[in-house]
Amino acid sequence: MLKSLLLFWSVIVFSLPLLSQRDFMQGISRHRGHKIVLLGKWSQEDKVRWKQIVDSSDIFDFRFVLVDGTNIGNRVNDGSHYSLNFGINFGAFERWFIQQYGISGSARWVALDLENKLIATGLQVPDGKEFGLMLAQRGIKGALAQVRNFLSENPCHLEATGDLLTEVRRRSLHLMPPDTDKDLDEEADLHIWGSFASEIDRVFNGEWEGLNLYFFKADSEMSERFSPLMKNVFRKHLPKIESAIRLDPFKQALWDTWGWMSQSTPDYYWKTFIDTIEKFHPRYENTVEDALLSPPANICVWLVADCKKRGDWETLLKFAEMAENFGLVYDPVDFGTDWSPGPGGKGRFSGRATLIDGYPVKTAILPHLEALLRLGRVDEASNLYGRILRRYNWGLPLAIALVRSIGMEDLAQRWELEEGIPVNNPITPYFYVFAKPLADFDRQFNGFVRRLSPNMLPSSRVWSNDNRFDWKMEEGERWALLTPEGKILIEGSEFSDTNLAAVQEIIWSQGVFGSIETLRKHLVSDGSNPGIELALARQIISQNNSRVTSPDTDQLLDDEQDLFLWGEAFLLLRRVLNSPHLLTNLVSFNDAQAVKKSRLMKLLAGSYLASVESALERQPTANGLWYEWIFWRDVEGAERSLVPLIERLKYSPLSPLKGMVPGFVMTKYYEECRQKEDWPKVIKLLKSAWDRELAWNNFRPSEDEEGPVAKEQRQMYFARAGGNLGIPLIEAYLHNNNPNLASEIFDVYIESGGKFTDISKIVELAKEKGYESLARKWEEKIPTLTL
């Protein structure tokens, strides 16, 4: 009977298009977690019971999601539900699913593990405790158990430590009663937050430097503020975070940890600490200086809101301008997709740009405006209103309403009539360029200003006889540096070093300094500071990389040039190597074209690489560390292999990236394996990507249901997938003497609707390897495969 049933379902399933079968398998694979697939029709009451089961303390740690017919094509915000994909017919999916897993026709639910292997089936909603016991008996491990086991063998792994804390905190937040507005009692506090408080205490009593905890949210209050246990542990460890920030005030992860702990401790007033932190804020209009900002934008947004709540208008002014000068608030939590080589393939990304609600008008500009008005600084408020008028028109009614709420009706009426609002004058010196846009003079000028500190952009550019200085086009192109009021400070038509030095002195005399000057001043006045020294060294490298050019990239600098350009950075970085925890959360360097000409920096490269590799063993997916490693490998110039480093790294079992290093590193790893003709490694990389890409991008209706645009997009995808993955994979199989597998890739691809644009490479290679019949078969396909 069972054989007959399976045969029946096999006939149905295998009569489905090949494309649908891949859709179904990939549909359940897209969620990397445990799943419960509900078959047939379930009442709403039963679905609620299922949700209660997967959210219960016995099951919660396994992160089960529910998959059922009502979710097909709909993303449910509730994390306990999960959709397969648009366009998938759930009835067809059920038939395929029953056959795929050999399930009894009476089964109404099926549990799958992390690898989509069958755990259990059943008829009714199970009891949570019994289900949890069954999972344990079958060796199924929850997220906490996985990461704890990993850390028992790798106790210094920072990414796994962060995952552990995230997972424990997730459980605490899940247990918090909704709408809590007062401290929990002792029993509830211990039950909800006891484990997390204990873990935080353990971690911050150990080697935590470099740990990324992005729990802080500027626009929402932390639930920890209602836990006496958490507030006590925060009071204990906040001084450590503050000391670390003083030594390295530019590290986003430190500030986020500080903000999370501070915001969760209502009786802690941050002002005393903040007043001890030097603010590095060389941000001026008309510059593109890579400004160093401390505190960062999301922290400033919270500080502004807290100042407003306290009525501390003077302190608010210190941070409102910093908060409003950011276009976006970046979410620094890494996320990514799987890797594929070549343009258009999937990569690994970090730093999603997100907007806090009402940012920056409601969270920075309006509080700034209110502070100025309440302090009686009406002219400055009018200037600020002018900025809102120019940049955020939707904020104008809010600003007028704010003025009226303070009782300044006359001012509100004037602003509505746009009276007394200053013109948008620059606040620092700026350049006026009289030149034809994009002509040689214009390009030379751009190179000229890039050598200045700060790197100033022209805010006024004109090529017409109708200009403010009555310059004539026939008299030639020129430039001028103007005061904020428009008076010429210096003008010229050349770009000599003499002109550059004169312009630089004038800029500095006007009180406009870039990051390098600001950092140097701080070190002179306050002494050694590892974080400032690292920041200064990186700024020098960035500046000199853009300034130093040579047609002969292999020629090393002479000793005098080397010392002049790189001596300061060399000394600074050599000192920083004594503080290896600083080499975390770094932003990327520019390329090393100028730096690798320095003998001094080459002397430093080996030690620097060793420190970075040590840091990567603790944070193997950190983008900044990988950029650092690639940079210093180029400086070293010794062709250091990437393969041994990648292959010795260990990854947190909870990593959403499945242990994948950043995409640009994966590509370099692939290229190195290919260059060394290590074909098994090449095949392993490409085959994994090939299986995934082919399935993921086949989630489309059949071709006869597609419109012309969808069909064109489908063809473009297949051409890219075929060229970037298919051809290289076939090539690797041929080199590895696997012609049958090479032929299978080719056949499956075209049977799925794919088209190769050029197969000449694999045809020639097949002939070279002696696979003549295979080459002939592929050549016959060429006329039908071109796009």
Side-chain angles (χ1 to χ4, degrees):
M1 177 67 180
L2 180 60
K3 286 186 177 179
S4 301
L5 184 63
L6 290 177
L7 179 62
F8 171 74
W9 286 120
S10 298
V11 170
I12 292 179
V13 170
F14 285 105
S15 66
L16 294 170
L18 179 65
L19 186 61
S20 296
Q21 295 178 48
R22 289 201 183 94
D23 281 357
F24 297 152
M25 192 68 239
Q26 196 58 44
I28 60 173
S29 298
R30 289 176 75 96
H31 176 77
R32 296 167 182 156
H34 298 96
K35 288 165 282 289
I36 294 173
V37 182
L38 303 182
L39 303 173
K41 293 185 178 180
W42 288 78
S43 68
Q44 188 60 34
E45 181 182 356
D46 281 339
K47 289 181 183 180
V48 170
R49 288 178 59 204
W50 266 115
K51 182 172 180 350
Q52 291 171 343
I53 291 295
V54 298
D55 285 347
S56 68
S57 59
D58 302 290
I59 308 300
F60 186 74
D61 191 36
F62 294 91
R63 293 194 173 197
F64 272 100
V65 294
L66 299 175
V67 182
D68 73 284
T70 62
N71 294 328
I72 302 303
N74 295 290
R75 281 282 175 192
V76 183
N77 289 331
D78 191 323
S80 299
H81 287 78
Y82 170 69
S83 75
L84 289 177
N85 210 315
F86 293 97
I88 292 183
N89 178 280
F90 197 73
F93 168 77
E94 281 191 347
R95 294 192 293 273
W96 168 84
F97 188 83
I98 290 171
Q99 188 277 333
Q100 176 73 18
Y101 286 95
I103 300 166
S104 165
S106 61
R108 298 191 66 223
W109 62 264
V110 181
L112 303 179
D113 68 9
L114 296 172
E115 298 177 355
N116 293 314
K117 294 178 181 177
L118 185 66
I119 299 175
T121 65
L123 300 177
Q124 305 298 325
V125 180
D127 175 82
K129 288 186 178 180
E130 291 178 0
F131 190 45
L133 181 61
M134 181 269 294
L135 292 172
Q137 289 173 341
R138 300 193 180 186
I140 309 300
K141 294 181 179 179
L144 263 180
Q146 293 178 58
V147 74
R148 286 192 194 281
N149 289 346
F150 179 85
L151 282 168
S152 68
E153 298 178 1
N154 306 276
C156 296
H157 201 285
L158 289 175
E159 289 181 0
T161 300
D163 288 340
L164 171 69
L165 294 178
T166 300
E167 187 62 24
V168 178
R169 183 174 187 259
R170 186 179 78 93
R171 293 173 66 88
S172 295
L173 293 174
H174 179 67
L175 293 172
M176 273 293 283
D179 303 322
T180 303
D181 60 358
K182 62 181 179 180
D183 279 2
L184 298 167
D185 62 48
E186 185 176 350
E187 183 179 354
D189 194 20
L190 185 62
H191 172 65
I192 295 170
W193 292 102
S195 178
F196 189 47
S198 176
E199 291 288 0
I200 288 291
D201 191 50
R202 178 187 61 80
V203 168
F204 283 93
N205 277 326
E207 296 182 9
W208 60 272
E209 290 88 350
L211 179 65
N212 297 339
L213 294 179
Y214 296 117
F215 299 150
F216 172 71
K217 302 296 180 186
D219 54 351
S220 61
E221 291 187 336
M222 306 290 104
S223 295
E224 287 89 331
R225 68 190 286 110
F226 303 114
S227 164
L229 281 171
M230 292 306 301
K231 287 185 284 190
N232 285 336
V233 80
F234 287 160
R235 289 187 195 97
K236 176 181 176 181
H237 294 293
L238 261 171
K240 297 178 183 178
I241 311 300
E242 293 172 350
S243 295
I245 291 175
R246 288 189 185 98
L247 293 175
D248 193 4
F250 308 119
K251 191 157 290 180
Q252 177 78 47
L254 284 176
W255 278 109
D256 276 314
T257 301
W258 178 84
W260 168 58
M261 290 186 176
S262 301
Q263 191 180 29
S264 302
T265 315
D267 59 350
Y268 164 82
Y269 189 25
W270 44 263
K271 189 175 184 298
T272 301
F273 162 67
I274 287 290
D275 286 344
T276 69
I277 296 294
E278 176 76 14
K279 287 192 301 176
F280 301 95
H281 187 40
R283 181 181 289 274
Y284 302 99
E285 291 189 9
N286 317 312
T287 76
V288 290
E289 186 74 25
D290 182 18
L292 302 166
L293 293 146
S294 171
N298 60 335
I299 297 294
C300 286
V301 165
W302 170 58
L303 297 180
V304 165
D306 201 48
C307 285
K308 182 176 178 181
K309 190 183 300 183
R310 297 172 186 270
D312 187 351
W313 306 111
E314 288 285 0
T315 304
L316 188 153
L317 292 179
K318 294 181 181 180
F319 304 105
E321 186 177 357
M322 277 195 278
E324 75 192 41
N325 268 327
F326 289 74
L328 293 170
V329 173
Y330 285 91
D331 173 6
V333 179
D334 288 337
F335 72 103
T337 54
D338 298 279
W339 168 83
S340 293
K346 294 182 183 296
R348 152 89 147 75
F349 310 99
S350 179
R352 290 170 286 190
T354 59
L355 282 176
I356 296 172
D357 184 35
Y359 180 90
V361 172
K362 292 181 180 179
T363 58
I365 296 175
L366 291 180
H368 190 180
L369 187 69
E370 181 175 3
L372 290 171
L373 291 172
R374 291 190 182 279
L375 292 171
R377 294 156 66 169
V378 176
D379 289 344
E380 293 176 63
S382 296
N383 271 294
L384 183 59
Y385 181 81
R387 284 216 301 278
I388 296 175
L389 181 67
R390 295 193 307 271
R391 294 160 54 192
Y392 304 101
N393 285 335
W394 64 271
L396 294 178
L398 300 177
I400 298 295
L402 171 64
V403 175
R404 287 199 164 100
S405 71
I406 297 174
M408 306 177 77
E409 178 63 31
D410 290 345
L411 182 63
Q413 290 181 13
R414 290 203 306 273
W415 283 4
E416 283 181 319
L417 298 172
E418 298 186 18
E419 295 177 358
I421 300 173
V423 179
N424 181 20
N425 287 328
I427 60 173
T428 63
Y430 66 100
F431 282 103
Y432 185 87
V433 186
F434 186 66
K436 188 180 299 183
L438 303 180
D440 287 343
F441 186 94
D442 196 29
R443 284 193 290 269
Q444 285 179 294
F445 178 80
N446 287 331
F448 179 74
V449 296
R450 278 198 300 270
R451 298 171 65 191
L452 295 168
S453 180
N455 183 350
M456 301 181 70
L457 287 178
S459 62
S460 184
R461 191 185 297 269
V462 65
W463 182 239
S464 168
N465 282 330
D466 182 16
N467 61 80
R468 69 168 73 178
F469 300 118
D470 292 326
W471 290 344
K472 303 301 179 187
M473 296 168 63
E474 57 269 21
E475 294 175 359
E477 299 153 313
R478 68 182 73 182
W479 55 263
L481 178 66
L482 310 180
T483 66
E485 297 75 29
K487 179 182 176 182
I488 294 178
L489 291 167
I490 186 173
E491 64 176 294
S493 58
E494 297 179 354
F495 308 106
S496 65
D497 289 343
T498 302
N499 270 337
L500 182 73
V503 171
Q504 185 68 82
E505 286 299 324
I506 290 173
I507 290 173
W508 288 343
S509 72
Q510 297 291 306
V512 180
F513 299 99
S515 298
I516 289 178
E517 293 78 43
T518 304
L519 293 169
R520 281 176 177 151
K521 285 180 179 179
H522 178 79
L523 291 175
V524 168
S525 62
D526 294 345
S528 177
N529 180 296
I532 308 305
E533 290 166 355
L534 176 61
L536 176 55
R538 295 173 67 81
Q539 289 291 309
I540 292 170
I541 289 173
S542 178
Q543 181 188 70
N544 286 350
N545 256 336
S546 63
R547 290 183 175 183
V548 178
T549 57
S550 170
D552 185 358
T553 58
D554 296 325
Q555 182 178 348
L556 295 175
L557 298 170
D558 61 47
D559 290 345
E560 184 177 352
Q561 289 177 306
D562 199 1
L563 187 62
F564 174 74
L565 288 170
W566 305 111
E568 183 181 10
F570 171 80
L571 293 173
L572 291 166
L573 289 174
R574 189 171 62 178
R575 287 202 292 271
V576 168
L577 287 174
N578 295 323
S579 306
H581 62 274
L582 294 178
L583 304 180
T584 54
N585 311 310
L586 297 172
V587 295
S588 62
F589 273 133
N590 295 329
D591 64 66
Q593 287 301 310
V595 186
K596 68 184 183 182
K597 300 175 192 176
S598 166
R599 290 182 176 87
L600 280 174
M601 300 299 267
K602 284 183 180 294
L603 287 173
L604 193 63
S607 299
Y608 212 98
L609 281 165
S611 291
V612 173
E613 289 182 9
S614 177
L616 279 168
E617 289 174 356
R618 306 175 75 196
Q619 294 178 293
T621 68
N623 261 18
L625 287 175
W626 279 111
Y627 278 117
E628 201 89 4
W629 192 89
I630 297 297
F631 176 87
W632 286 103
R633 182 181 70 166
D634 290 347
V635 173
E636 183 184 47
E639 302 299 325
R640 184 181 293 232
S641 174
L642 186 61
V643 174
L645 173 59
I646 284 186
E647 295 186 349
R648 76 170 183 260
L649 297 177
K650 297 179 181 179
Y651 304 91
S652 169
L654 303 188
S655 170
L657 303 172
K658 297 170 65 176
M660 184 183 73
V661 297
F664 72 95
V665 183
M666 285 289 289
T667 297
K668 288 182 180 294
Y669 175 65
Y670 157 69
E671 290 169 349
E672 184 178 334
C673 292
R674 189 177 185 281
Q675 185 178 14
K676 293 181 176 179
E677 299 186 351
D678 191 340
W679 300 115
K681 283 190 176 72
V682 172
I683 290 169
K684 182 179 179 181
L685 283 169
L686 294 178
K687 184 62 166 60
S688 174
W690 174 259
D691 289 344
R692 181 198 66 247
E693 292 283 317
L694 188 62
W696 276 33
N697 287 276
N698 273 340
F699 288 133
R700 296 200 174 98
S702 60
E703 290 207 24
D704 58 347
E705 296 175 1
E706 292 179 346
V709 175
K711 190 172 293 186
E712 182 180 354
Q713 290 176 339
R714 180 189 182 93
Q715 289 179 332
M716 287 176 62
Y717 161 71
F718 275 122
R720 189 167 61 240
N724 292 351
L725 276 170
I727 295 297
L729 180 55
I730 291 171
E731 177 190 35
Y733 274 133
L734 292 175
H735 278 296
N736 206 48
N737 299 316
N738 301 121
N740 292 336
L741 293 176
S743 179
E744 182 180 311
I745 295 297
F746 188 97
D747 293 341
V748 167
Y749 185 57
I750 60 172
E751 287 169 7
S752 298
K755 296 182 180 181
F756 294 108
T757 56
D758 183 4
I759 62 172
S760 59
K761 180 193 295 187
I762 57 173
V763 167
E764 291 304 314
L765 182 58
K767 290 177 180 178
E768 180 185 319
K769 291 285 187 179
Y771 307 127
E772 293 288 344
S773 61
L774 190 58
R776 284 195 300 273
K777 170 188 164 184
W778 290 344
E779 284 182 308
E780 291 171 2
K781 297 286 185 178
I782 290 178
T784 62
L785 294 181
T786 54
L787 291 179

